[in-house]
Amino acid sequence: MESTLGAGIVIAEALQNQLAWLENVWLWVTFLGDPKILFLFYFPAAYYASRRVGIAVLWISLITEWLNLVFKWFLFGDRPFWWVHESGYYSQAPVQVHQFPSSCETGPGSPSGHCMVTGAALWPIMTALSSQLATRTHSRWVRVMPTLAYCTFLLAVGLSRVFILAHFPHQVLAGLITGAVLGWLMTPRVPVERELSFYGLTALALMLGTSLIYWTLFTLGLDLSWTLLPHRSISLAFKWCERPEWIHVDSRPFASLSRDSGAALGLGIALHSPCYAQVRRAQLGNGQKVACLVLAMGLLGPLDWLGHPPQISLFYIFNFLKYTLWPCLVLALVPWVVHMFSAQEAAPIHSS
């Protein structure tokens, strides 16, 4: 394993030295591959294009992100930005690698969440585009364009994670393969609309399931504590990150759990809200869909940038509530506002 990790550092060094002129591109790509961007942009964009696809993106995002957390407990995985120091690799084979603001994530590194979660969640978008093109063109090259774009983007995300020392290449490869398989398996089975209790029980199952898995394995003697506050992975991040402000609070292991359980509950609330009931059968035009996306971005952006409470327990509660509100805005409130405003604009004017 040490030789594999050492080879990963050599690859990261080659990327940083040979492709340094693409630094801004790599940083932008790793930002676009962040699982949070699935909730912030890909989910609303997909939903306003196709309700079924959008709901599939959200479902797959929250389930695969939860699975990624559990997988990391079993697989552990150092991150390159701290391993090069802890292992003494610098003294054995001096290398020229450096960190970035996106490097200092606190959880274990295997498999890569950027590759696994994003790869799975973008699968329904890719398949939907491929299906649409297949009905409109006979050109084989045009029909494979969504698949090529999907593979190219995920490959770029994987390379960007290696470039910034967030993951080793084998962690990226594990994430890419797992994400594609999960996307292929889950897309046809995504529930569209179920009873409200189903979503509440799903959110509860995600939280209780995580606790049950942790304590069961801990009781059996497998020490998972290094992945949790205030243990090894977080202490290593604080120890070896070049700047304290680069430490990502929302990369802590249970931050994704609060996000996913909140999104599951919020999806149920949105689908059973009066606003959604009024707009679910409305046929929004292209202009209205664009207006929905712009308004959603205008609301979700500031909500995402709200400050984090200093206490970690308050942060988890705040994160849960924020992502519970997220689907309610996208599925119900924003389309309702746009639909009602458009209806008023289009209402005929009767002369007296």
Side-chain angles (χ1 to χ4, degrees):
M1 179 55 72
E2 292 295 311
S3 60
T4 301
L5 300 182
I9 297 297
V10 172
I11 294 174
E13 181 184 24
L15 287 174
Q16 289 192 3
N17 291 335
Q18 301 300 322
L19 300 176
W21 55 281
L22 288 175
E23 177 179 315
N24 290 332
V25 174
W26 295 129
L27 294 177
W28 182 247
V29 168
T30 202
F31 169 77
L32 292 177
D34 193 320
K36 291 190 304 180
I37 303 301
L38 291 167
F39 294 88
L40 179 64
F41 178 72
Y42 299 120
F43 155 55
Y47 178 76
Y48 296 134
S50 168
R51 291 181 180 178
R52 185 177 184 86
V53 174
I55 292 175
V57 169
L58 182 60
W59 262 117
I60 295 175
S61 297
L62 63 93
I63 296 299
T64 53
E65 191 169 40
W66 180 82
L67 288 173
N68 183 257
L69 169 63
V70 176
F71 288 169
K72 285 180 176 178
W73 281 355
F74 286 94
L75 300 176
F76 303 111
D78 290 288
R79 290 186 183 268
F81 78 90
W82 76 52
W83 182 83
V84 291
H85 299 284
E86 287 289 310
S87 64
Y89 188 84
Y90 272 127
S91 60
Q92 301 170 12
V95 291
Q96 297 295 325
V97 290
H98 57 279
Q99 300 175 11
F100 299 87
S102 303
S103 302
C104 301
E105 297 187 1
T106 56
S110 187
S112 167
H114 277 61
C115 296
M116 175 179 165
V117 182
T118 304
L122 293 185
W123 186 276
I125 297 178
M126 182 268 292
T127 55
L129 290 175
S130 298
S131 178
Q132 286 289 325
L133 290 177
T135 61
R136 297 184 180 184
T137 180
H138 297 289
S139 172
R140 179 181 177 184
W141 293 108
V142 174
R143 285 183 289 176
V144 300
M145 285 297 293
T147 303
L148 291 176
Y150 171 84
C151 295
T152 302
F153 176 67
L154 289 180
L155 177 61
V157 171
L159 290 174
S160 73
R161 302 302 287 168
V162 176
F163 180 88
I164 67 173
L165 300 183
H167 291 294
F168 289 100
H170 69 279
Q171 297 170 345
V172 165
L173 183 61
L176 291 173
I177 295 174
T178 306
V181 171
L182 288 174
W184 174 66
L185 290 174
M186 294 176 64
T187 296
R189 300 170 175 83
V190 170
V192 179
E193 293 187 26
R194 301 286 292 273
E195 299 81 6
L196 180 58
S197 59
F198 171 81
Y199 300 94
L201 290 174
T202 300
L204 185 62
L206 292 177
M207 293 186 286
L208 294 182
T210 304
S211 301
L212 179 61
I213 292 171
Y214 171 75
W215 288 111
T216 299
L217 295 177
F218 185 83
T219 303
L220 293 175
L222 181 59
D223 183 12
L224 302 177
S225 62
W226 84 288
T227 68
L228 303 177
L229 280 168
H231 301 288
R232 184 168 177 255
S233 68
I234 293 175
S235 63
L236 286 174
F238 276 94
K239 180 179 180 181
W240 294 117
C241 187
E242 291 181 3
R243 300 184 185 180
E245 63 269 22
W246 287 358
I247 297 291
H248 304 286
V249 178
D250 52 6
S251 69
R252 296 171 186 260
F254 280 132
S256 60
L257 175 63
S258 63
R259 173 166 59 237
D260 300 331
S261 55
L265 179 60
L267 177 60
I269 295 174
L271 292 175
H272 292 82
S273 66
C275 292
Y276 180 79
Q278 293 187 38
V279 299
R280 61 177 304 202
R281 292 183 176 85
Q283 296 294 326
L284 299 180
N286 292 332
Q288 291 174 308
K289 293 178 179 179
V290 172
C292 286
L293 182 60
V294 172
L295 180 57
M297 293 295 96
L299 294 173
L300 298 180
L303 183 61
D304 182 57
W305 287 103
L306 288 177
H308 301 304
Q311 295 85 4
I312 191 62
S313 57
L314 291 179
F315 166 75
Y316 290 143
I317 295 172
F318 178 81
N319 211 41
F320 176 86
L321 295 175
K322 180 170 69 173
Y323 282 95
T324 300
L325 179 61
W326 217 276
C328 296
L329 289 173
V330 175
L331 271 69
L333 183 59
V334 167
W336 180 81
V337 169
V338 171
H339 178 65
M340 296 303 293
F341 180 78
S342 300
Q344 292 176 3
E345 288 292 319
I349 301 175
H350 299 283
S351 59
S352 56

